[in-house]
Amino acid sequence: GGIVDQTRTINFETVADVKVVNGVSPYSGNNYSVLLNGSTDYLTFNPGTTFQFGSSIDFTIEMWIYPTTTLTTQYLIDMRTAAASNGFALAYGPNVSGRLTWYNQSGNLITENAAYTKIGQWNHIAYVRYNNVGRLLINGVMVNISVADTTNYNNTNTTAYIGSRFDQNSTV
């Protein structure tokens, strides 16, 4: 199956039994979310050049999540082809003390310093790089000190993952 984003610019391919659920969203009205089963469901897409930020371009990666547990590490988005590639990943779970972590090719760049992410409710999360400074925000609150980020995010991979690590070892 497949899902097309609202702008009709990115086509997401579903793996396993991904469910699109109407009315289950942090927004009111006729909005949708994706329900992943926590073990085998995830989305893939071809990022093209959309996510090539280089070493100095300002960018924001943001999403809404509704965590139900911290028992497994959950990769929310992974743009890497290997742990040390020119992409990035955003993960949550016990391997990072139940906290949100932004990864670059050198490892974890920034981890939330307290458990701001709430279980059983919608959380808005974002990683923002502005003027070569990276910040991790949860529900509008910066959750750690800001860090220097001049990482060269020029990944050229043709497959990116939502809800899975690049090698499918840790899914949502």
Side-chain angles (χ1 to χ4, degrees):
I3 301 170
V4 180
D5 76 335
Q6 185 175 9
T7 64
R8 302 208 179 282
T9 57
I10 297 180
N11 294 311
F12 298 92
E13 292 299 317
T14 61
V15 177
D17 190 28
V18 174
K19 306 249 186 312
V20 178
V21 185
N22 185 15
V24 179
S25 165
Y27 304 104
S28 61
N30 193 24
N31 291 292
Y32 296 85
S33 62
V34 176
L35 178 63
L36 306 174
N37 71 2
S39 59
T40 58
D41 296 347
Y42 57 93
L43 302 173
T44 63
F45 66 98
N46 182 339
T49 59
T50 303
F51 292 91
Q52 291 184 355
F53 305 123
S55 60
S56 62
I57 294 173
D58 297 336
F59 68 91
T60 299
I61 300 294
E62 63 180 323
M63 67 188 74
W64 286 93
I65 64 169
Y66 191 101
T68 58
T69 183
T70 59
L71 297 178
T72 59
T73 298
Q74 302 171 357
Y75 280 80
L76 306 171
I77 186 168
D78 198 339
M79 302 292 296
R80 304 170 301 164
T81 56
S85 66
N86 283 346
F88 59 83
L90 190 57
Y92 172 78
N95 290 348
V96 289
S97 303
R99 298 179 179 159
L100 200 60
T101 299
W102 177 264
Y103 293 91
N104 64 10
Q105 63 255 35
S106 299
N108 61 325
L109 182 63
I110 188 169
T111 299
E112 72 177 289
N113 58 1
Y116 288 95
T117 309
K118 304 299 181 201
I119 302 297
Q121 70 183 48
W122 287 104
N123 294 265
H124 181 261
I125 59 173
Y127 179 80
V128 177
R129 180 171 75 181
Y130 179 72
N131 286 336
N132 293 330
V133 175
R135 296 172 180 86
L136 191 60
L137 295 99
I138 300 176
N139 298 320
V141 176
M142 190 168 70
V143 296
N144 202 337
I145 59 170
S146 54
V147 296
D149 185 1
T150 57
T151 304
N152 182 3
Y153 295 110
N154 271 340
N155 56 314
T156 57
N157 58 323
T158 57
T159 304
Y161 301 88
I162 294 177
S164 178
R165 184 178 149 110
F166 65 87
D167 58 7
Q168 292 82 54
N169 279 337
S170 295
T171 56
V172 173

